[in-house]
Amino acid sequence: MKRLFIFLGIIAVLGLTAAKLLSNKEKTEQKVYIPDPDPKVGVKVAVAELRDLSQESGFLGSFAPNRKVEIRPQASGEIVKLNVEVGQHVAAGQLIAKIDDEQLHYQVEALQVTLEGYQNDLKRYEALVKGDATPAVNVERTQLSIRSTQAQIKQLNKQIKNTSIIAPFGGIITAKMVEKGSVVSQGTPIAEITDISSLKLVVNIPEKSVNEFKTGKGIPVRTDVYPHANFNGRVTMVAAQGDEAHNYPVEITVQNSAAHPLKAGMYGSIASDSKVKGEALAVPRQAIMGSAKQPQLYVVENGKATLRDVSVGATTNEYYEITKGLKAGDRVVTSGQINLQNGTSVIAQ
């Protein structure tokens, strides 16, 4: 009987040990990371909807100055005159600054004395040659010395001229980098002049609309600062290459107006010649991928991203018209496409 109790005790201990091990195994398995066989990718979406593109088919840009340049001297030395301040209007050819040229004048004066001596020697040699009292070679040498001295004087006069720094064109001083008494070297920027007698409205035109713009074409321009004023613009440049988003910079030159003065950096807008009238199905530009010949986008359906071919029509700065492949209410991916493949599970944000 005693042996039976011992045997039953051993079986009980073994059973408890097995149960404990099984429990520990289950707890361990719960802590082990098991990767999700169908991970979800976070994306941003927008709803395809009808929009009145005819009211949005304008392009916004900012005005750039007609010309802007840093004024840099072609001479070195101390600035003894500085005749401009920031905000001052200057005319073409007006003196901006003067660099000390006193030593250069002294050198010219010395060379002029030397030149006068050579000229006197030439007269004497020419008289002596006529009487066969001196070789003709002396005349030739003196003539060469005169020409050399005259060339040195011209060079110094050019350097003196370069000490007067003048405005290359009319405009406004928008920066001043030095003060009177500053010592500058050749090429040091001393001021910046900006010409806003005319301005260039720079707008980025999407690929579908860029052919509407031809060099020389007249285009009305409007501004936020003068909402009731119309400016007559003319296309002066259409970029030959677009950016990664297929936008092409276009420059439209506008003459500045005394009645409605414009400044560089102001916003301006132009209307598009888009044929879109009324409402059209549209999606944000960020949703479109692929090329202009084969545009594509991702549509979120039942928690998955489906790659779909579409056809696009007119465009604005913000939207593409979708003419085929999409219906109103479809949710399209606008951010996160780089992480997607056809059929990827997504979480819309």
Side-chain angles (χ1 to χ4, degrees):
M1 181 65 71
K2 184 177 180 180
R3 291 180 179 179
L4 178 61
F5 287 140
I6 293 173
F7 180 73
L8 292 175
I10 293 173
I11 292 176
V13 170
L14 291 175
L16 291 173
T17 302
K20 182 64 175 177
L21 291 174
L22 182 62
S23 176
N24 290 341
K25 180 181 178 183
E26 291 175 351
K27 291 180 180 179
T28 302
E29 288 177 347
Q30 290 175 358
K31 294 180 180 179
V32 174
Y33 169 74
I34 301 176
D36 188 350
D38 187 19
K40 293 180 173 58
V41 176
V43 295
K44 290 184 178 180
V45 299
V47 177
E49 56 187 357
L50 296 175
R51 289 184 174 274
D52 190 356
L53 295 184
S54 62
Q55 296 178 6
E56 299 180 5
S57 56
F59 303 107
L60 181 67
S62 60
F63 287 103
N66 180 42
R67 292 177 290 182
K68 181 171 71 172
V69 68
E70 285 186 341
I71 301 174
R72 300 172 181 261
Q74 298 182 32
S76 303
E78 180 186 355
I79 295 179
V80 294
K81 289 183 181 179
L82 188 61
N83 298 337
V84 295
E85 296 292 339
V86 174
Q88 178 182 341
H89 185 276
V90 295
Q94 181 175 330
L95 182 68
I96 300 294
K98 178 68 176 177
I99 295 176
D100 182 22
D101 60 357
E102 189 174 3
Q103 289 296 330
L104 295 174
H105 281 290
Y106 291 155
Q107 294 178 45
V108 170
E109 186 176 350
L111 286 173
Q112 287 175 336
V113 172
T114 301
L115 177 62
E116 185 177 348
Y118 285 141
Q119 290 172 338
N120 292 335
D121 288 344
L122 180 61
K123 291 178 182 178
R124 286 193 293 270
Y125 284 138
E126 287 176 340
L128 292 172
V129 166
K130 290 180 181 179
D132 293 331
T134 188
V137 68
N138 289 331
V139 174
E140 294 177 359
R141 288 174 179 172
T142 305
Q143 289 174 333
L144 291 175
S145 296
I146 289 173
R147 290 174 58 188
S148 175
T149 305
Q150 289 173 334
Q152 293 178 58
I153 291 174
K154 288 180 179 179
Q155 186 177 26
L156 286 171
N157 285 332
K158 175 64 175 176
Q159 293 179 28
I160 291 172
K161 183 179 179 181
N162 287 341
T163 61
S164 295
I165 305 165
I166 62 173
F169 50 80
I172 296 173
I173 300 298
T174 48
K176 187 178 73 170
M177 296 80 164
V178 298
E179 297 292 341
K180 181 180 177 181
S182 300
V183 177
V184 298
S185 58
Q186 183 176 348
T188 301
I190 65 171
E192 180 184 75
I193 183 171
T194 303
D195 175 18
I196 57 171
S197 58
S198 62
L199 297 104
K200 298 173 182 177
L201 179 63
V202 183
V203 293
N204 288 321
I205 305 299
E207 182 177 4
K208 283 289 184 179
S209 300
V210 71
N211 287 334
E212 298 174 13
F213 298 86
K214 305 293 183 183
T215 302
K217 178 181 178 180
I219 293 181
V221 175
R222 300 184 66 86
T223 64
D224 291 339
V225 69
Y226 303 116
H228 303 296
N230 289 320
F231 296 87
N232 295 321
R234 187 167 298 278
V235 177
T236 51
M237 191 280 293
V238 179
Q241 181 175 348
D243 59 19
E244 293 181 357
H246 300 277
N247 291 323
Y248 293 78
V250 172
E251 288 183 358
I252 300 160
T253 299
V254 176
Q255 292 297 317
N256 214 337
S257 166
H260 301 98
L262 298 170
K263 297 182 182 297
M266 286 183 173
Y267 286 115
S269 62
I270 59 173
S272 170
D273 290 341
S274 173
K275 302 302 181 183
V276 176
K277 301 296 181 182
E279 292 185 333
L281 183 64
V283 298
R285 292 181 60 86
Q286 297 88 338
I288 299 296
M289 306 183 306
S291 64
K293 293 183 178 179
Q294 190 177 4
Q296 296 176 312
L297 49 71
Y298 280 105
V299 178
V300 177
E301 297 177 316
N302 300 321
K304 295 184 180 294
T306 303
L307 186 62
R308 189 177 296 181
D309 294 329
V310 294
S311 298
V312 299
T315 65
T316 72
N317 279 345
E318 300 293 333
Y319 296 97
Y320 269 108
E321 179 196 12
I322 304 299
T323 59
K324 183 180 178 182
L326 207 62
K327 65 181 183 297
D330 284 343
R331 295 193 302 165
V332 298
V333 177
T334 58
S335 178
Q337 296 98 321
I338 192 172
N339 300 315
L340 300 181
Q341 294 181 350
N342 192 25
T344 300
S345 295
V346 295
I347 298 176
Q349 300 176 353

